[in-house]
Structures are given as C-alpha cells and as structure tokens.
Amino acid sequence: QQQVKQSPQSLIVQKGGISIINCAYENTAFDYFPWYQQFPGKGPALLIAIRPDVSEKKEGRFTISFNKSAKQFSLHIMDSQPGDSATYFCAASVSNFGNEKLTFGTGTRLTIIP
Amino acid sequence: NAGVTQTPKFRVLKTGQSMTLLCAQDMNHEYMYWYRQDPGMGLRLIHYSVGEGTTAKGEVPDGYNVSRLKKQNFLLGLESAAPSQTSVYFCASSYDRDLNAYEQYFGPGTRLTVT
C-alpha cells in the first residue's frame, strides 16, 4: 500500500517558471516531511524538510507548503533553472529519536527547458 | 570526510549466486539503512540498524540479510540472487548524537543486475 502518493510523475517547466510537485499521505502519525533531490547516477540528497507545526518553510528558491487537514504537502521551486533538472522524492516518517524510517513517494522527474 | 560510501558500484550476478554489498560511513552516525530503488516505486527500506550489533526488518526484507558488526559499516547480503533483486541499492546513515541532527545521508548506490 502506497502511503505517500506523489504527482506528477514527470514535469517539464520553462526556465524561470515555477515547478510544483505534490504529495499526499495517509498516516496521520507522520510528523516529518522531507524532500530529496536526486541527479542521475547519484544518491538522493536532502533538499528541504518540514514538521507539521508550520504551514510553510522556505529555503532560497525552494518552498514546502504543508496542509495538515488535507494531509498534503508540496514543493515549489521558484525561478526554476536547468540545474534543477533532477528527480524529486517526497517522503514522510514518524519521528523516533532520529530513527527516521522514511516512506518515499514514487518520484517526479523534473526537466527545466531553456 | 567521505560521507557514505558503497562498494561495489556495479555488479552482475547469475541467478543463485551470492554477494555482499558494503556500506561505510565516517560521520559517526548511530543509524544505518539499506534501500532499493526501482523505476516508478521510489525507495523502499530493506533493513536498518539502530546501533552496532543490532538490525531490524524494513518494508521489503525477504531474500536479504544484514549485519552491523562495526558502527561505521553495514553489510547487505544476498544469499541466492533472483532476477527480482535487480535494482539500485542505496545505503544511508543518520543521527549524529553530538549534534542531535537527524538528516539521512545517502551513498552513491550500487547497480545490481541478476541474470
């Protein structure tokens, strides 16, 4: 059973545009929501993460929006650049003193075109 | 500081053969994880360890065994490889007790093909 549903599967955005990737979760016990960025041939790297006590977190051009009542969270990439072309994974976990057993979404392949 | 390293990077096995994947971390992390990544399925947790000498099952543990004899190393074994185990395997580590930091760091992956 897929506990974290991610959409879209692929996304093409023009340079300078806004990229938006959405995730929905089922387990209301989840309390940690990270986004990972993965380039071809590399391992995933943490991009930004949020906990449900805030509705939005921004780091540079990357913003997570979190809607606890709808059990949804999304990644917004402002002023998208070709270097942002990568696969993005959302994830969720129940905090356990650092033992964050992450449940991942299926990934979104983002392509930024000039 | 190399972070998380994995050995080997690529491997081709025949059905029924065995092999061990090695993960090493130099960040003094308490926890270590093995994931597999398959197209359209994200990353799925195979096994994990919360400390030296301890291991636990994840979401897809069947066909795999693990050991953590040293804090910095986490081994993933396939006793009798099957084509369904063709995948990219990622190791990760987390929890810096001194910094109270929980971020998971991933290795570069091992691409395994079972024919």
Side-chain angles (χ1 to χ4, degrees):
Chain A
Q1 183 182 3
Q2 183 66 41
Q3 293 194 57
V4 178
K5 295 184 179 179
Q6 183 172 348
S7 62
Q9 189 174 355
S10 63
L11 180 63
I12 299 174
V13 175
Q14 280 209 308
K15 179 182 175 183
I18 303 174
S19 304
I20 302 174
I21 304 170
N22 300 300
C23 283
Y25 62 96
E26 299 166 6
N27 187 350
T28 56
F30 286 149
D31 61 356
Y32 175 65
F33 303 90
W35 284 89
Y36 281 81
Q37 179 187 56
Q38 184 180 28
F39 294 104
K42 305 291 185 183
L46 180 65
L47 189 62
I48 187 173
I50 196 169
R51 294 195 183 270
D53 51 343
V54 296
S55 60
E56 186 174 282
K57 183 174 181 179
K58 184 176 181 179
E59 289 185 1
R61 297 184 293 107
F62 300 91
T63 300
I64 297 180
S65 297
F66 183 78
N67 186 330
K68 187 174 182 178
S69 60
K71 293 187 288 185
Q72 295 176 346
F73 58 109
S74 60
L75 176 69
H76 295 236
I77 305 174
M78 312 299 287
D79 187 25
S80 298
Q81 299 297 312
D84 297 330
S85 295
T87 299
Y88 292 81
F89 292 93
C90 63
S93 72
V94 178
S95 296
N96 185 19
F97 299 101
N99 183 13
E100 314 289 4
K101 287 187 292 179
L102 296 169
T103 298
F104 283 86
T106 52
T108 296
R109 179 172 290 184
L110 174 64
T111 304
I112 308 300
I113 55 176
Chain B
N1 196 347
V4 179
T5 57
Q6 293 182 230
T7 309
K9 289 185 169 52
F10 304 94
R11 185 73 187 268
V12 178
L13 285 179
K14 293 187 177 191
T15 297
Q17 288 185 320
S18 63
M19 78 162 294
T20 301
L21 281 65
L22 172 63
C23 176
Q25 53 97 4
D26 62 1
M27 296 175 282
N28 199 35
H29 281 169
E30 302 298 321
Y31 303 142
M32 297 187 75
Y33 311 82
W34 275 108
Y35 294 89
R36 60 178 288 172
Q37 183 176 36
D38 302 291
M41 302 191 73
L43 290 97
R44 293 180 293 169
L45 184 64
I46 304 171
H47 285 282
Y48 65 99
S49 167
V50 299
E52 183 178 316
T54 72
T55 63
K57 294 180 180 179
E59 181 185 353
V60 288
D62 294 343
Y64 305 96
N65 56 76
V66 289
S67 63
R68 193 161 176 209
L69 300 179
K70 294 183 179 180
K71 184 177 182 179
Q72 63 269 33
N73 295 337
F74 196 29
L75 278 63
L76 178 70
L78 285 72
E79 290 186 349
S80 179
S84 61
Q85 295 178 304
T86 294
S87 187
V88 181
Y89 292 85
F90 288 99
C91 176
S93 70
S94 72
Y95 193 35
D96 184 323
R97 191 183 295 275
D98 294 333
L99 298 177
N100 201 31
Y102 301 145
E103 175 181 339
Q104 274 195 31
Y105 291 83
F106 283 78
T110 295
R111 184 173 295 274
L112 175 66
T113 301
V114 182
T115 62

